[in-house]
Amino acid sequence: MVTVTAAALAVSSTLPTPAAQARGSSGEVVRQGLHRLVQEDRFPAALAATTGRDGRTHNYTAGVADLTTGAKVPVDGQVRAGSNTKAFTATVVLQLVGEGKVALDAPIERYLPKLVRGEGIDGRRITVRQLLQHTSGLPNYTEFLGDFSTYRHTYVAPRTLLDLALAHKALFAPGTRWSYSNTNYLLAGLLIEKVIGRPLAEQITQRVIDRIGLRHTAFPGVGDERIREAHPEGYYPSKPGGPLTDVTELDPDWAWSAGQLVSTPSDLNRFFTALLGGRLLRPAQLAEMRRTVPAESGLWPGARYGLGLVSTPLSCGGLMWGHGGDIPGYRTRTGVTTDGRAVTVAVTADPTPTPKTPDHAQPLLDTTLCTRGPDSPPSPARSLMNRH
């Protein structure tokens, strides 16, 4: 987990509630859930996409896209996807494993010699698997970035970020514990570039985004601060519970392989569905990705972390898979079941505008996936909530 001042990339701690015994449709559950996010949690906007076993996707919105103009929330608008990027990065690494170019249990030293060194830190003792699973013990560089305003419009190179982390001692011996660290995925990005000899953004685009037709997902170029397609504005409270500042435009390079992607709720559904469905990885590598360790200490009760993939028990039985992500201005939560059902919820402020109110986005995934029955059209009387 990362701190507020470190610009959270990780999945935030939220306490899932048991799925409601919904009497209505899954669509009504989503509409009510988004309404709660806007009215109780005070997020300016909330968006969601649900995908059924038949592959059909429904999109929902609530709130306003712009607090100044009151503009409508764009249907399936683009948002900064934050740490969902880790699942993309892990996918590329595992593709390289399947191609025989990377060994999961080899030390990172093999690919990035003499780079990973520090107090209690030795790249000869940290494996690729431990990086992808957050069991390396490496300090989290985002905890040392300082106040968000000081680097919002600043390009920070990956090597500078790595040096920031390596200036601090190891959290624990590799493989002995679990602790979320964006530094792990920074190194995974550097690994990809070293092995292939090409830019990370190009490889994620070619190997994942283009391969499964994610038309509204992109890895922003260096210094590109804009969100290029229709999107709701993203907001950041200057202090807990304080006024919201529009931070839609920012330089996301400091997030890089750990959290730089821009996407939409429906594209994130498509990605995780394709990933779990075996369209991006060979069976052996997908099986490795789904081998998990307990991660409750940094996520939520029952959560387990694989290789760039989180599993969470559903209150109705079974598991949902995904990741989720936080980055200043936007929060996303993703959940996919192995039978092809998926839901992504996005909100347009991070950290939470009302810090004493539990974040209801994560529990909404459980409630939606555990609701039975077909979708139904929205109530015309509910002006804040629309299905598109």
Side-chain angles (χ1 to χ4, degrees):
M1 291 298 296
V2 295
T3 64
V4 169
T5 55
L9 278 174
V11 182
S12 289
S13 294
T14 54
L15 298 176
T17 57
Q21 298 300 314
R23 294 185 177 87
S25 68
S26 60
E28 185 63 21
V29 166
V30 175
R31 285 187 286 272
Q32 291 174 359
L34 296 191
H35 180 81
R36 190 180 190 188
L37 288 166
V38 170
Q39 295 299 308
E40 295 184 25
D41 292 6
R42 309 305 298 173
F43 290 107
L47 306 82
T50 62
T51 303
R53 294 184 184 89
D54 59 1
R56 294 182 59 188
T57 295
H58 299 288
N59 291 293
Y60 306 82
T61 65
V64 295
D66 189 319
L67 289 174
T68 301
T69 66
K72 292 179 61 176
V73 181
V75 178
D76 199 33
Q78 277 191 325
V79 296
R80 297 194 187 278
S83 282
N84 288 292
T85 306
K86 290 181 175 66
F88 287 71
T89 299
T91 297
V92 175
V93 172
L94 287 165
Q95 287 174 347
L96 296 177
V97 171
E99 294 165 13
K101 297 175 182 176
V102 171
L104 265 180
D105 294 308
I108 189 61
E109 180 80 6
R110 178 183 297 181
Y111 310 102
L112 301 172
K114 300 181 180 180
L115 182 63
V116 185
R117 294 287 191 279
E119 185 178 352
I121 298 170
D122 188 341
R124 293 168 294 186
R125 299 175 181 172
I126 297 172
T127 67
V128 175
R129 183 190 301 276
Q130 288 165 348
L131 294 177
L132 297 182
Q133 200 151 45
H134 295 299
T135 56
S136 69
L138 289 172
N140 187 355
Y141 75 83
T142 56
E143 292 185 358
F144 314 116
L145 280 171
D147 186 83
F148 170 57
S149 63
T150 64
Y151 60 90
R152 176 182 169 189
H153 299 295
T154 302
Y155 170 74
V156 187
R159 181 56 191 269
T160 301
L161 298 169
L162 180 61
D163 289 344
L164 192 62
L166 296 179
H168 300 267
K169 67 179 181 180
L171 302 178
F172 49 82
T176 60
R177 288 171 48 196
W178 183 91
S179 182
Y180 195 99
S181 175
N182 292 294
T183 308
N184 291 316
Y185 277 78
L186 180 71
L187 283 167
L190 292 172
L191 164 68
I192 291 167
E193 292 198 333
K194 183 65 178 292
V195 170
I196 302 178
R198 300 294 303 172
L200 172 71
E202 174 194 270
Q203 291 303 301
I204 286 180
T205 300
Q206 292 179 357
R207 288 171 170 266
V208 181
I209 295 173
D210 291 346
R211 182 170 171 179
I212 56 174
L214 303 181
R215 294 183 298 169
H216 307 291
T217 300
F219 199 103
V222 174
D224 188 354
E225 298 195 355
R226 297 176 55 195
I227 298 178
R228 295 291 175 172
E229 297 182 20
H231 61 274
E233 303 298 292
Y235 295 91
Y236 186 88
S238 56
K239 60 181 180 179
L244 295 177
T245 300
D246 188 332
V247 294
T248 308
E249 293 192 3
L250 58 83
D251 189 326
D253 288 299
W254 57 268
W256 201 49
S257 50
Q260 191 164 337
L261 279 176
V262 170
S263 190
T264 68
S266 68
D267 261 12
L268 289 172
N269 280 0
R270 181 187 293 269
F271 165 68
F272 283 106
T273 300
L275 178 61
L276 269 295
R279 294 176 54 196
L280 288 167
L281 293 175
R282 298 175 182 178
Q285 280 69 59
L286 181 57
E288 294 287 359
M289 192 178 218
R290 294 176 59 181
R291 288 177 58 186
T292 60
V293 296
E296 293 183 354
S297 59
L299 299 179
W300 46 79
R304 298 180 64 89
Y305 205 96
L307 305 183
L309 199 60
V310 181
S311 74
T312 308
L314 289 168
S315 60
C316 54
L319 296 173
M320 67 176 172
W321 296 86
H323 198 287
D326 290 29
I327 192 167
Y330 299 93
R331 174 175 299 173
T332 49
R333 299 290 180 260
T334 52
V336 177
T337 60
T338 54
D339 63 1
R341 292 176 296 129
V343 58
T344 292
V345 176
V347 291
T348 60
D350 192 82
T352 306
T354 50
K356 293 183 180 181
T357 302
D359 173 6
H360 296 114
Q362 177 69 24
L364 180 55
L365 303 181
D366 180 280
T367 307
T368 302
L369 291 172
C370 285
T371 299
R372 299 294 184 262
D375 196 15
S376 60
S379 167
R382 192 169 279 117
S383 59
L384 277 175
M385 197 69 50
N386 297 289
R387 192 195 86 187
H388 306 273

